[in-house]
Amino acid sequence: KMALNFKAMRLAALKQMERERQQQQQQQQQQQQQQQEEQQDEEFRMATPVGWNDSGGGLEAYRVHAPFGAIYYVPDFMDSATQAHLLRLIYGDEKRWTQLTKRRLKVYGGFPTTTDLLPEPLPSWVVTIANHLRYLSVFADAPNHVLLNEYTPPKGIAPHFDGELYEPNVAVLNMGDSAKMEFYKSVYHSQHQQQPDATHAINDSTDNNNTNSNSNDNNNNNDSNTYNTTHNKEHQQQQSLQVVCSLILHPRSLLVFRDDAYVAYKHAIPDSNIDAVDDLVINKGDKWGVTQDTIERTSTRVSLTIRRTTARPRTGLYNNDSLSTTSTS
């Protein structure tokens, strides 16, 4: 019996030692991963775009001539090394992705609603970008909400407003591949009136889900660029959307739009494998790096949509100082 008890005790001790060894190894791996991420964050710095300070106007020097609002396009906002580093950080956390109908999505900064916000600290690399955009006067106060979208050709996103939960100022960082963004105005006409040119008009849906592109797949209820026609029974009118202008968004570029361009005109990325650089494209030319007649989508496009939400937090209150320092690995 003593021999059996000794063997049992020895076996239990060996198992305990093995558990402790595995726990210690796991802790060491976690520490190494954390140190590596901290080192990456420490090394990551957004550089001021070439010519930004020498242009004599900062962001205003990149204003695109648009028929409404304020639209800015900065080609080569970041260099290739910065883009590669950002993509490594983005794809280093596969657990955060949400699969939608047409795209994958990550949300940083919490989930705003019409009344409040469940706040979430921004990752340190997102804080770096937010602070850099504030330093460049793209935002007056540090943005506190970021949507990360991943698109594979030919998928895009349907016409939508970003909604009233955000200040009317948005910055979009483009990475990986090119795409065309279109801006639309609403056109009303009688039921029997001839519709606008079909190449530049689509029917608009009054589905409330099609007005906000936050964390749900609200803009992908249809898989084509044709949308449901709605009827005003009293006046027998139809509403459709007509393309007013568009921009080609190349990798490593920054797009900023605000004021009427945000609140009065819907925007979209149409489904397409090839985008035509037609007369509606307002950033054509050498200055903007758009010189081709067509742009082919060949790989995955990743975009960071950066905004400042006006929703009230449920717990605590964000302020400018906390936004500039709060971070996670």
Side-chain angles (χ1 to χ4, degrees):
K1 289 183 179 180
M2 291 181 60
L4 289 175
N5 288 338
F6 176 76
K7 288 182 179 180
M9 292 173 60
R10 184 171 181 273
L11 182 60
L14 289 173
K15 289 182 178 180
Q16 179 63 26
M17 290 174 60
E18 178 61 20
R19 284 195 296 267
E20 292 176 355
R21 186 191 68 81
Q22 291 178 354
Q23 290 176 354
Q24 185 178 9
Q25 185 178 11
Q26 186 177 5
Q27 289 176 355
Q28 289 177 347
Q29 290 175 349
Q30 291 175 347
Q31 290 175 355
Q32 290 175 355
Q33 182 178 357
Q34 183 176 356
Q35 291 173 355
Q36 184 178 5
E37 291 175 352
E38 290 175 353
Q39 183 179 1
Q40 287 179 337
D41 291 337
E42 182 64 26
E43 293 174 352
F44 172 53
R45 294 289 182 269
M46 289 290 290
T48 300
V50 175
W52 187 280
N53 293 327
D54 299 332
S55 63
L59 182 64
E60 198 62 31
Y62 297 93
R63 185 163 182 163
V64 180
H65 181 68
F68 54 83
I71 301 178
Y72 308 85
Y73 179 77
V74 187
D76 299 324
F77 180 77
M78 68 183 84
D79 58 24
S80 298
T82 301
Q83 175 182 248
H85 183 71
L86 282 175
L87 291 174
R88 284 195 298 270
L89 292 172
I90 289 168
Y91 286 105
D93 183 10
E94 286 295 324
K95 295 180 181 179
R96 295 188 65 98
W97 289 106
T98 299
Q99 183 65 55
L100 305 179
T101 304
K102 288 188 173 185
R103 56 194 165 108
R104 289 204 303 170
L105 173 76
K106 290 186 182 184
V107 180
Y108 297 113
F111 295 87
T113 69
T114 55
T115 57
D116 51 20
L117 168 69
L118 180 61
E120 175 187 273
L122 298 175
S124 58
W125 62 272
V126 176
V127 172
T128 299
I129 297 173
N131 288 339
H132 186 63
L133 292 174
R134 181 173 61 172
Y135 167 74
L136 296 175
S137 299
V138 175
F139 292 92
D141 299 307
N144 59 0
H145 194 267
V146 175
L147 288 183
L148 192 159
N149 288 290
E150 179 195 66
Y151 300 93
T152 56
K155 300 298 178 61
I157 187 169
H160 63 278
F161 291 116
D162 283 3
E164 298 178 354
L165 298 180
Y166 303 96
E167 295 178 357
N169 184 27
V170 56
V172 181
L173 279 176
N174 305 282
M175 292 174 283
D177 200 9
S178 300
K180 177 193 280 189
M181 176 177 283
E182 296 179 336
F183 287 87
Y184 305 83
K185 69 177 180 180
S186 295
V187 178
Y188 297 90
H189 47 84
S190 66
Q191 186 173 358
H192 302 291
Q193 182 179 347
Q194 184 177 359
Q195 297 227 6
D197 183 354
T199 59
H200 297 312
I202 59 176
N203 290 328
D204 183 23
S205 172
T206 56
D207 186 344
N208 291 332
N209 289 336
N210 201 32
T211 61
N212 198 304
S213 62
N214 294 333
S215 57
N216 298 319
D217 196 13
N218 295 334
N219 305 299
N220 294 295
N221 297 324
N222 303 289
D223 291 331
S224 68
N225 281 331
T226 302
Y227 300 89
N228 296 327
T229 301
T230 60
H231 297 271
N232 184 318
K233 293 183 179 179
E234 182 177 352
H235 298 92
Q236 290 297 307
Q237 287 187 334
Q238 293 178 333
Q239 178 184 3
S240 62
L241 294 177
Q242 184 173 354
V243 180
V244 179
C245 66
S246 59
L247 295 96
I248 299 297
L249 309 180
H250 279 321
R252 302 187 290 109
S253 67
L254 172 71
L255 170 69
V256 177
F257 60 94
R258 53 179 63 147
D259 304 331
D260 278 354
Y262 181 95
V263 301
Y265 293 82
K266 290 186 177 183
H267 57 278
I269 302 288
D271 288 359
S272 180
N273 282 312
I274 298 178
D275 293 312
V277 184
D278 52 28
D279 292 338
L280 293 177
V281 175
I282 60 176
N283 65 332
K284 288 192 295 185
D286 294 336
K287 176 180 179 180
W288 313 110
V290 179
T291 57
Q292 310 95 312
D293 293 330
T294 58
I295 305 294
E296 185 177 1
R297 302 184 197 177
T298 59
S299 59
T300 300
R301 174 177 173 266
V302 174
S303 67
L304 287 173
T305 301
I306 303 166
R307 296 170 292 201
R308 182 171 177 83
T309 180
T310 56
R312 178 179 298 175
R314 297 176 190 171
T315 57
L317 289 174
Y318 275 132
N319 55 54
N320 295 342
D321 293 333
S322 65
L323 278 170
S324 63
T325 57
T326 303
S327 64
T328 60
S329 299

